[in-house]
């Protein structure tokens, strides 16, 4: 008999469906980011848009509510994005780092609190870890010194906005429709 921590088939289906949808959203977001981040980039404000790419870790975990859901959701969504964008398999590296940030937030709560505060923390940690990876990958140490803290704060704030607030509202909206009622683990999602 499967243990309490075992994933059910319906949870795996939700993971895959949401991750694929988010991977396609990530692809679409590359166009939005390209359009709007250019004027923001010299000031480090472009990272306010980056939080959309962290939603795989927060929205999937919010819906499934299992250990590992944030990491699996973010990595799978990033892999899907990597297949259809110029990022290729390197997107999976960012997915891993961003997913670890979200997973850490849910771990801190013992996977028991699925409120806005936890989602904000998950988005913030995803943003912080993602920025650290970007810092080294993109050699941001060569930027003007004042840009680095602005970028970091914007990455955290963007994570809180998109992967925190927006993902929380989207998840609540999905639950409210009842569409996920038969798919999820039977927990109280009110």
């Amino acid at each position: 008999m499967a243990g309490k921590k075992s994933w059910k088939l319906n949870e795996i289906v939700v993971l895959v469906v949401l991750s694929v949808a988010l991977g396609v959203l990530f692809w679409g977001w590359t166009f939005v980011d390209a359009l709007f981040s250019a004027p923001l980039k010299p000031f480090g404000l472009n990272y306010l848009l980056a939080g959309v790419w962290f939603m795989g870790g927060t929205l999937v975990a919010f819906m499934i509510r299992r250990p590992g859901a944030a990491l699996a959701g973010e990595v799978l969504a990033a892999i899907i994005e990597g297949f259809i964008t110029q990022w290729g398999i390197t997107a999976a590296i960012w997915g891993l780092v961003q997913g670890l940030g979200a997973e850490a937030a849910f771990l801190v709560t013992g996977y028991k609190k699925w409120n806005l505060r936890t989602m904000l923390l998950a988005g913030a940690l995803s943003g912080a870890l993602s920025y650290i990876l970007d810092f080294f990958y993109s050699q941001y140490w060569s930027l003007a010194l004042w840009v680095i803290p602005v970028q970091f704060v914007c990455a955290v704030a963007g994570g809180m906005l998109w992967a925190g607030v927006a993902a929380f509202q989207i998840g609540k909206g999905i639950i409210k429709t009842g569409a996920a009622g038969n798919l999820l683990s039977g927990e109280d999602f009110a």
Side-chain angles (χ1 to χ4, degrees):
M1 181 171 194
K4 185 177 179 184
K5 297 207 186 242
S6 297
W7 284 50
K8 298 175 185 170
L9 179 59
N10 55 351
E11 293 166 333
I12 294 168
V13 169
V14 170
L15 166 72
V16 171
V17 169
L18 276 178
S19 296
V20 168
L22 286 165
V24 173
L25 171 70
F26 293 173
W27 163 75
W29 196 250
T30 61
F31 299 107
V32 173
D33 181 68
L35 182 64
F36 291 105
S37 73
L40 301 173
K41 196 169 192 169
F43 308 105
L45 301 175
N46 57 309
Y47 273 93
L48 289 170
L49 303 174
V52 169
W53 285 301
F54 315 152
M55 290 175 70
T58 57
L59 181 58
V60 171
F62 183 78
M63 297 304 296
I64 297 174
R65 303 184 181 195
R66 295 266 186 220
L71 183 59
E74 188 66 45
V75 169
L76 184 54
I79 289 170
I80 298 299
E81 175 197 17
F83 280 126
I84 54 179
T85 65
Q86 73 273 19
W87 308 118
I89 197 64
T90 60
I93 298 168
W94 269 261
L96 176 66
V97 169
Q98 293 158 1
L100 286 171
E103 197 71 46
F106 300 122
L107 176 65
V108 166
T109 69
Y111 298 95
K112 295 192 183 337
K113 294 194 186 264
W114 300 97
N115 55 26
L116 180 57
R117 181 176 291 165
T118 305
M119 294 289 281
L120 289 169
L121 178 61
L125 290 175
S126 293
L129 292 182
S130 184
Y131 181 77
I132 291 167
L133 179 58
D134 284 354
F135 180 85
F136 291 103
Y137 183 81
S138 298
Q139 302 174 356
Y140 285 163
W141 56 79
S142 63
L143 296 174
L145 195 56
W146 67 269
V147 175
I148 296 166
V150 172
Q151 286 179 325
F152 182 80
V153 167
C154 288
V156 170
M160 293 172 76
L161 172 65
W162 297 102
V165 175
F168 181 73
Q169 294 301 326
I170 291 168
K172 279 181 31 178
I174 292 169
I175 291 165
K176 191 174 184 178
T177 66
N182 293 333
L183 295 174
L184 300 171
S185 65
E187 294 181 35
D188 178 18
F189 286 94

